[in-house]
Amino acid sequence: MLRGIRDCLNVPALGIGLTMIGFGAMAQDAGLAILPALGITTLVWGIAGQVALVDIHASGGSLLALFVAVALANLRMFPMVVTGLSSVTGGRKLSVVSRLLLMQTLAISCWTQMMTRADHVPARQRLRYYIGFAVTLIGAALLGTTIGHQLGRVVPQSVLIVAIFMTPLYLLLLICGARQWANRLSVLFGIAVGLALYPVMGDWAVIAAGLLGGTLGFFSAPHLFRNKAGD
């Protein structure tokens, strides 16, 4: 657990903290008090869903619109939870409540850490490692939300909102440095597909980039690096 805390108190905590500073400023600008803003960070726990919720709230959208927007934004995390939960538990049999709590905290930063950086942790110790990492990450997010909400009163939102892009940048650097070539190739293919399709598909190119880039990276890596990896 201490190793998980130590590993998080570096770039991961800094990245999520800066990101949530931007979100806190956005929440303050939308008229949300600090406690609802902290509640959104804790319960939604995904910057895309958090931004969608605040944006729709600010525009006067209905409760149904809020629910649908957050659900669709966080639906992308479903495959991540399915693939990451087994790595987190390390073969332990947990209750349904324990699994739900773990799934709630399994943000993209946690998943990336477990998939690319936690191979030095023995399987039976990964649950404690993950708990230390995830709790520290959530603490950094709540601190960032609080700071951003307070700074939003005195600093222009256009300045603070740039911080939201810190976590995607951190994830990009982390995955590009991953040992598995499938992860690296997925990022490269995704960038190429996104740039190529954006003039035609607009924002839908993001979905196409993730789907096609990941698929191409997954299937091409074993063939391109079979000899080097000794497979």
Side-chain angles (χ1 to χ4, degrees):
M1 187 176 294
L2 291 176
R3 182 182 294 182
I5 294 173
R6 183 192 63 191
D7 288 352
C8 186
L9 287 175
N10 201 328
V11 179
L14 179 62
I16 197 69
L18 290 174
T19 297
M20 292 304 167
I21 287 177
F23 168 73
M26 178 181 291
Q28 195 276 335
D29 186 69
L32 287 173
I34 182 62
L35 289 181
L38 292 173
I40 292 172
T41 295
T42 305
L43 298 177
V44 178
W45 196 223
I47 190 62
Q50 292 174 229
V51 170
L53 191 155
V54 171
D55 187 57
I56 294 176
H57 167 77
S59 61
S62 65
L63 184 62
L64 178 61
L66 289 173
F67 176 81
V68 172
V70 173
L72 291 177
N74 283 359
L75 185 62
R76 62 199 169 90
M77 297 186 181
F78 180 72
M80 176 189 71
V81 171
V82 172
T83 59
L85 189 60
S86 59
S87 175
V88 169
T89 57
R92 295 171 179 261
K93 293 184 178 180
L94 303 176
S95 65
V96 175
V97 175
S98 298
R99 288 177 175 269
L100 287 175
L101 289 174
L102 287 176
M103 287 187 285
Q104 172 63 24
T105 60
L106 192 58
I108 295 178
S109 299
C110 296
W111 179 87
T112 308
Q113 181 74 18
M114 296 302 295
M115 294 295 105
T116 62
R117 289 291 187 271
D119 52 355
H120 63 285
V121 181
R124 297 295 296 178
Q125 297 180 13
R126 285 194 176 187
L127 180 58
R128 293 189 182 93
Y129 175 89
Y130 171 79
I131 292 174
F133 188 93
V135 169
T136 306
L137 196 70
I138 293 173
L142 294 176
L143 179 61
T145 301
T146 303
I147 293 174
H149 195 276
Q150 298 303 313
L151 288 179
R153 304 173 185 273
V154 294
V155 179
Q157 186 193 17
S158 58
V159 175
L160 296 176
I161 208 71
V162 177
I164 285 181
F165 296 97
M166 292 300 104
T167 289
L169 178 60
Y170 152 68
L171 293 174
L172 175 63
L173 296 175
L174 187 62
I175 294 177
C176 287
R179 298 179 181 180
Q180 299 86 354
W181 269 100
N183 293 331
R184 300 182 186 181
L185 291 176
S186 296
V187 172
L188 295 176
F189 283 131
I191 292 174
V193 171
L195 292 176
L197 294 183
Y198 184 79
V200 179
M201 300 179 63
D203 291 342
W204 286 96
V206 177
I207 298 178
L211 180 61
L212 296 178
T215 302
L216 291 172
F218 178 80
F219 285 107
S220 62
H223 299 287
L224 292 176
F225 299 95
R226 178 179 300 171
N227 294 332
K228 294 182 179 180
D231 295 335

